[in-house]
Amino acid sequence: MTKRIVIMGECMVELFQLVDNVYHQNFAGDVFNTAVYLKRTCEVPLDVQFFTAVGIDRISDKLVRAVEREKIDTKLMLRSKTARPGLYMINTDAFGERSFVYWRDSSAAKQVVQCFMAQSNYEALKGCDMFYFSGITLAILSDADRTTLFTLIEQLKQDGSQIVFDPNYRPALWPNADTAKAAILQAYRLADVALPGLDDHKALFDAERTDQVVEHLTELGVTEIIVKDGKNGINGRFKQECFSAMAHPVKKVVDTTAAGDSFNGGYLAARLGGIAPQQAVKFAARLAGFVVEHTGAIVSKEHFNGFWAKHRPSSFVK
Ligand SMILES: O=C(O)C(=O)C[C@H](O)[C@H](O)CO
């Protein structure tokens, strides 16, 4: 049976420089990036639904069409009459390490919970097999909307949806670290699967190593944990078993944008296809290694097809 995956958060207009004063425009955002790579790499039929708010302007229509082109369901892309999509620009250093500048303070996605309460209801989410959100999803909401969202997620969990969370900590989006910490801990307590980066836990919880993060999340009740540490690989735990995997060697890192997001998409694609975590991380690392060899969050279909011709989640099963 086709599984239904709801992925909630923000997708923005993305700009990155091609040459001096010439920018390429695309659409991207952490959870959307994950949705794209999940949909592109899953070997079983999946109904991936993107849950966000956009405006009623032309760039919002373009964004919805970009999501449709990825064969992602847009029913939960709600419309705000008063706001437009946010925008961000990627800057990369000599080593391909990215940093972002945002114009998103009044983006439509910040109204997603309000739009949902006004235009839809719990029935639209109920019964999804998986609900995926991130620390950025939480960061863009008001305190009241975040509380409403947690109530919805609690309900989904009670009704049997698997809850997946990546803390994706972006200090610039939070009023202070304590607010971020409290919200992220609340999310972890609801999560069945957690896919954090070590950097997030270094910044928020003073962690130094991936195994400390695994231990922390186990104490919070998460049963499937993958901690990403860039070129140092990953550390994971599932059903009491701990494991690790190396990062995939990369010829030249061009842009690290969406490394973690694509890893998450590939990992979940493999898991939803019935592959064990120990093997799923290998495909995910291979995919993330491919993505950082390209500029921007979403690798064009043309380049992606070359990867897909050689690599499938199932080819990583021994
Ligand atoms: O930083 C954000 O909020 C984004 O969503 C932009 C990027 O696409 C994302 O961070 C990559 O992980």
Side-chain angles (χ1 to χ4, degrees):
M1 212 172 67
T2 303
K3 290 197 170 142
R4 183 161 70 97
I5 317 301
V6 175
I7 298 200
M8 180 184 188
E10 178 163 22
C11 183
M12 293 171 281
V13 176
E14 177 190 79
L15 294 179
F16 59 81
Q17 191 162 347
L18 291 178
V19 290
D20 243 3
N21 295 327
V22 181
Y23 288 83
H24 178 85
Q25 187 259 304
N26 207 347
F27 295 102
D30 69 332
V31 292
F32 173 66
N33 308 338
T34 296
V36 168
Y37 291 111
L38 167 60
K39 181 70 189 181
R40 286 188 185 181
T41 62
C42 197
E43 294 176 283
V44 296
L46 280 190
D47 178 12
V48 178
Q49 300 189 310
F50 188 46
F51 180 16
T52 192
V54 294
I56 50 172
D57 52 289
R58 284 174 67 177
I59 195 81
S60 294
D61 292 345
K62 243 181 119 181
L63 196 164
V64 173
R65 285 201 297 276
V67 178
E68 282 167 354
R69 275 199 298 279
E70 294 292 339
K71 302 192 173 57
I72 292 171
D73 187 301
T74 56
K75 271 197 289 294
L76 289 170
M77 293 186 72
L78 308 170
R79 298 278 187 161
S80 156
K81 290 200 178 111
T82 58
R84 292 184 293 271
L87 180 148
Y88 80 108
M89 195 183 278
I90 303 174
N91 294 305
T92 45
D93 66 16
F95 306 101
E97 192 51 58
R98 92 290 190 265
S99 58
F100 305 126
V101 187
Y102 302 114
W103 291 264
R104 69 192 312 184
D105 289 350
S106 56
S107 70
K110 288 173 86 84
Q111 300 177 14
V112 58
V113 171
Q114 284 157 44
C115 290
F116 179 75
M117 298 313 271
Q119 298 167 26
S120 190
N121 60 53
Y122 178 68
E123 291 302 308
L125 302 176
K126 192 176 173 183
C128 65
D129 294 278
M130 182 182 280
F131 182 87
Y132 180 99
F133 69 120
S134 78
I136 299 179
T137 314
L138 297 175
I140 61 171
L141 301 179
S142 67
D143 291 349
D145 288 353
R146 208 179 295 134
T147 303
T148 306
L149 175 60
F150 278 131
T151 308
L152 286 169
I153 299 174
E154 259 164 44
Q155 187 67 57
L156 284 170
K157 191 175 171 82
Q158 269 170 32
D159 289 341
S161 302
Q162 188 179 36
I163 310 298
V164 184
F165 179 68
D166 178 344
N168 249 348
Y169 179 49
R170 301 282 184 275
L173 302 183
W174 291 96
N176 53 59
D178 283 343
T179 310
K181 248 192 246 184
I184 286 169
L185 286 173
Q186 196 169 350
Y188 275 140
R189 290 198 180 93
L190 289 169
D192 301 291
V193 182
L195 304 168
L198 174 61
D199 284 349
D200 300 335
H201 278 252
K202 276 187 177 165
L204 281 172
F205 303 110
D206 297 325
E208 285 167 8
R209 301 185 315 270
T210 48
D211 61 301
Q212 293 170 323
V213 182
V214 172
E215 203 182 307
H216 182 185
L217 299 189
T218 304
E219 278 162 18
L220 292 171
V222 187
T223 51
E224 183 167 344
I225 302 161
I226 306 292
V227 187
K228 298 163 284 186
D229 184 18
K231 58 182 181 336
N232 302 317
I234 68 97
N235 223 318
R237 187 175 200 269
F238 179 59
K239 290 193 175 159
Q240 271 105 56
E241 194 190 314
C242 291
F243 51 90
S244 56
M246 314 244 278
H248 183 81
V250 174
K251 271 187 236 117
K252 183 172 174 7
V253 178
V254 173
D255 178 358
T256 56
T257 303
D261 309 333
S262 56
F263 181 99
N264 294 357
Y267 178 76
L268 295 173
R271 294 290 290 127
L272 288 159
I275 295 170
Q278 291 82 343
Q279 271 108 44
V281 290
K282 293 187 182 150
F283 172 70
R286 184 67 192 85
L287 176 61
F290 165 76
V291 169
V292 301
E293 286 172 341
H294 298 79
T295 315
I298 308 289
V299 178
S300 71
K301 283 253 178 73
E302 187 197 344
H303 286 112
F304 176 78
N305 288 341
F307 169 85
W308 191 237
K310 293 192 217 116
H311 308 286
R312 305 270 162 141
S314 53
S315 48
F316 286 76
V317 179
K318 279 188 219 126

